[in-house]
Amino acid sequence: QSEEAVDPDLLAEAVAAVDKAVADQAGLEPAALAALAAEKALEMAKKAEAEAVAKADAQEAANTKPASEQTETSPVFEVVDFPGMGLGLKKGQAYGEAELKKKCRGDKAKLKKLAQLLKKPEIFKVRSTVSNAEGAEGAEEAKVKEAEVKEPESAPSRKRKASEVSSSSCPVRYKVLASPNLGLGLKIGQSYPEASLRERCGSDEEKLLKLEAALLDAKLFKKLGAAEEKGPGLMKRPAASQKV
């Protein structure tokens, strides 16, 4: 490297350093001194450049945080009423916006409709606003808390009475008194577990809502007690013409 290719300031600093180092040495040729100074200046220039690059990289890394650490906010929505989109949502359950969009599975029509319904408080209620870093965890935590509130007690304790154990092990059953007109293939006079009735509705939210209303109608369904569930009438099969 020639002296002209080196930063003048660095060259001057290098010359001073070399002069100091060789001040006690006698007989050093001017050309050798200049070459030594140029080499020293080049070394210092490379070091300064490396430090500048490292500093720039560190600054860029600090400004560009990963998605999980970004502070943009994302709301969590509570389902107030069924949106009628076949997303498999549950009333009272909380979902993050990203999770709701994921349930649309890329369907542009559904995504557009979801965006509109999220603005309707009678369908979705904004429960809280969290950062993207906590969005998924926040929605999941809300679900866990919801489940903890609604979750039935665990396996019965040995200290429970036999009658309590017996009653808790029997599923709720309903006897069909008249056709609910839901296309569930039920038979008048036959009894069905509540879970079975819900399964027959599949993921049809509208049909599930109608079933809820029908189960409360004493003219359509009768909720059976333990004695009635064990009665002989439970084993009778109604005529095929009574299928509804």
Side-chain angles (χ1 to χ4, degrees), residues 84-160:
M85 296 177 61
L87 303 182
L89 306 180
K90 295 181 180 180
K91 273 188 178 182
Q93 191 81 308
Y95 301 87
E97 185 176 5
E99 183 179 3
L100 291 170
K101 290 180 179 180
K102 186 177 180 181
K103 287 179 177 289
C104 294
R105 299 186 178 183
D107 189 318
K108 293 183 179 179
K110 282 189 176 182
L111 287 168
K112 183 177 180 180
K113 185 177 180 180
L114 175 64
Q116 296 171 347
L117 293 178
L118 289 177
K119 299 176 182 178
K120 296 185 177 182
E122 65 271 21
I123 304 295
F124 289 101
K125 176 183 176 183
V126 179
R127 173 176 284 188
S128 61
T129 302
V130 296
S131 67
N132 287 345
E134 301 171 354
E137 291 85 350
E140 190 63 30
E141 183 179 351
K143 289 183 182 180
V144 171
K145 289 182 178 179
E146 191 83 20
E148 287 177 351
V149 173
K150 296 183 178 180
E151 186 179 1
E153 294 182 3
S154 57
S157 171
R158 293 181 181 179
K159 295 181 180 181
R160 286 186 182 178

Side-chain angles (χ1 to χ4, degrees), residues 156 160 162-172 229-230:
R160 286 186 182 178
S163 59
E164 292 179 333
V165 176
S166 176
S167 61
S168 64
S169 62
C170 295
V172 178
E229 291 176 16
K230 296 178 182 178

Side-chain angles (χ1 to χ4, degrees), residues 182 184 197-198 201 207-215 221:
L182 293 173
L184 304 181
L197 294 171
R198 294 182 184 279
C201 295
K207 189 174 288 188
L208 282 167
L209 282 175
K210 290 181 178 179
L211 174 63
E212 292 282 357
L215 291 177
F221 288 95

Side-chain angles (χ1 to χ4, degrees), residues 22 41 47 54 56 136 203 209 241:
V22 300
K47 183 178 179 181
S203 59
L209 282 175
S241 61

Side-chain angles (χ1 to χ4, degrees), residues 218-238:
K219 296 179 181 179
L220 300 178
F221 288 95
K222 178 182 179 182
K223 188 174 180 179
L224 300 180
E228 292 173 294
E229 291 176 16
K230 296 178 182 178
L234 199 64
M235 301 303 295
K236 286 186 178 182
R237 290 191 177 183

